[in-house]
């Protein structure tokens, strides 16, 4: 994820922290997204399965 | 980004949940009616109370929403959950593409992202594990879930390489795409409706044929709308001027 555009507003000192905090935020967002989809679509807990049953079938997640 | 993904996902997911009430849900209910009316699928005593309508797994004591408003409500809420999750993943991918490759992010490119999501999450897994209706026997659940996740991940990687890698470096996509099918989906029983009598099996098969189309169309529309909404929201709320400016300059 290298910024190919030269940006004089960003100094050499601030860029690494800016980029790493960006990566942390992106990874966090992706993890939350994956966790939510997994919870609704793949959890084996019966009450969760029953609540999400029609959703799982419609989204063609393996259900039964 | 998280806030806008939640907003977009909640809205599109709610629409999807409502849409399913007219497309896939009636077919699921019809299949359950067939399967439970003849009651062989899971070998349990079927109760006739509304409460037990589709809690047709396990020991029968697990909580399940009552048929009607409660079931529809939970379907809508869980659809919102799935849509929020997919929005987050889609927006992260859009962000990385914009930042790293200068890919423009807006409603129009969002449509392409949505179609890619449809290919990854619906088309690719469905080629090995067709959409299922209740009452159909199948391979082990965990094996199918793992194969589903593996296929979606490999297809997503292949599409990303095919679109964003330069020149000959696109080639690995050709190796990745067929990989899940060479590896093989979990083996299905020869006749998924073998546990039912002939009339029930025939009815389930008819319902299944309709269900595949209903699910395919519903999911295609869902992903298209989700992609457009995510692209629009990303452009409007998330990407700072740096990234957008770079995107237009590069693209």
């Amino acid at each position: 994820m290298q910024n190919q555009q030269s940006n004089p507003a960003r100094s050499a000192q601030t860029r690494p922290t800016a980029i790493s905090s960006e990566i942390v935020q992106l990874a966090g967002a992706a993890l939350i997204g994956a966790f939510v989809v997994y919870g609704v679509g793949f959890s084996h807990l019966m009450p969760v399965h029953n609540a999400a049953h029609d959703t799982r079938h419609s989204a063609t997640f393996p259900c039964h | 980004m998280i806030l806008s993904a939640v907003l977009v996902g909640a809205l599109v997911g709610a629409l999807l949940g409502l849409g399913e009430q007219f497309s896939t849900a009636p077919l699921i209910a019809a299949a359950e009616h067939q399967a439970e009316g003849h009651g062989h699928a899971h070998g349990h005593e079927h109760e006739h109370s509304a409460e037990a309508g589709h809690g047709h797994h396990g020991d029968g004591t697990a909580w399940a929403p009552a048929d009607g408003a409660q079931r529809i409500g939970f379907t809508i809420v869980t659809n919102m959950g799935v849509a929020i999750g997919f929005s987050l993943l889609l927006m992260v991918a859009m962000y990385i593409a914009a930042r790293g490759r200068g890919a423009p992010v807006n409603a129009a490119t969002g449509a392409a992202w949505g179609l890619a999501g449809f290919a990854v999450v619906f088309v690719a897994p469905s080629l090995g594990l067709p959409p299922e209706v209740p009452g159909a026997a199948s391979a082990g659940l965990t094996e199918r879930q793992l194969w589903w996740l593996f296929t979606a991940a490999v297809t997503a990687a292949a599409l990303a390489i095919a679109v964003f890698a330069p020149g000959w470096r696109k080639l690995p996509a050709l190796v990745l795409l067929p990989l899940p099918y060479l590896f093989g989906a979990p083996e299905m029983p020869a006749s998924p409706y073998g546990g039912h009598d002939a009339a029930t099996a025939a009815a389930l098969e008819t319902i299944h044929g309709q269900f595949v189309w209903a699910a395919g169309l519903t999911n295609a529309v869902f992903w298209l709308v989700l992609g457009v909404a995510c692209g629009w929201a990303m452009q409007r709320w998330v990407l700072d001027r740096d990234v957008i400016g770079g995107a237009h300059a590069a693209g």
Side-chain angles (χ1 to χ4, degrees):
Chain A
M1 283 211 299
Q2 201 186 354
N3 190 359
Q4 295 174 342
Q5 189 192 23
S6 67
N7 187 343
R10 285 189 182 161
S11 73
Q13 281 88 18
T14 60
R15 270 186 77 184
T17 30
I19 287 177
S20 67
S21 95
E22 192 179 26
I23 290 173
V24 169
Q25 285 182 27
L26 285 175
L31 267 179
I32 296 171
F35 183 77
V36 173
V37 171
Y38 185 87
V40 176
F42 293 86
S43 166
H44 283 200
L45 292 172
M46 280 325 290
V48 178
H49 163 274
N50 290 339
H53 179 259
D54 294 1
T55 298
R56 289 181 179 196
H57 272 285
S58 299
T60 72
F61 294 142
C63 189
H64 296 266
Chain B
M1 170 148 55
I2 291 177
L3 183 64
S4 49
V6 169
L7 284 173
V8 166
L11 193 67
V12 180
L15 289 175
L16 170 67
L18 284 174
E20 282 175 0
Q21 298 312 316
F22 303 98
S23 60
T24 52
L27 296 170
I28 294 172
E32 276 173 1
H33 180 74
Q34 286 291 334
E36 294 193 353
H38 299 75
H40 300 303
H42 300 286
H44 69 104
E45 295 298 315
H46 57 276
E47 304 94 321
H48 288 286
S49 75
E51 288 283 332
H54 76 304
H56 53 148
H57 285 290
D59 54 12
T61 57
W63 172 89
D67 277 343
Q70 199 180 44
R71 181 168 174 177
I72 294 172
F74 273 98
T75 300
I76 291 174
V77 169
T78 49
N79 265 306
M80 289 164 72
V82 171
I84 289 169
F86 283 145
S87 298
L88 275 168
L89 294 170
L90 206 53
M91 285 187 180
V92 167
M94 286 174 169
Y95 191 98
I96 292 172
R99 198 85 165 78
R101 293 274 163 221
V105 173
N106 51 47
T109 56
W113 280 101
L115 289 179
F118 176 66
V120 166
V121 172
F122 183 85
V123 177
S126 291
L127 290 177
L129 296 170
E132 284 174 13
V133 292
S138 197
L141 178 60
T142 308
E143 290 78 25
R144 284 181 296 136
Q145 288 184 328
L146 286 175
W147 189 85
W148 192 101
L149 291 171
F150 172 67
T151 305
V154 167
T155 309
L159 285 185
I161 291 170
V163 173
F164 293 113
W168 61 269
R169 288 182 212 173
K170 290 182 191 298
L171 284 179
L174 289 178
V175 181
L176 280 178
L177 266 183
L179 197 62
Y181 313 103
L182 296 176
F183 184 75
E187 212 160 311
M188 309 290 270
S191 165
Y193 310 109
H196 301 284
D197 60 60
T200 310
L204 281 173
E205 238 165 283
T206 310
I207 295 168
H208 180 247
Q210 296 169 343
F211 180 76
V212 171
W213 283 104
L217 276 175
T218 310
N219 278 288
V221 172
F222 161 70
W223 276 104
L224 203 58
V225 174
L226 190 76
V228 168
C230 280
W232 181 84
M234 281 290 280
Q235 185 189 28
R236 180 92 168 69
W237 293 327
V238 180
L239 293 173
D240 55 67
R241 293 182 192 290
D242 262 17
V243 179
I244 286 283
H248 286 311

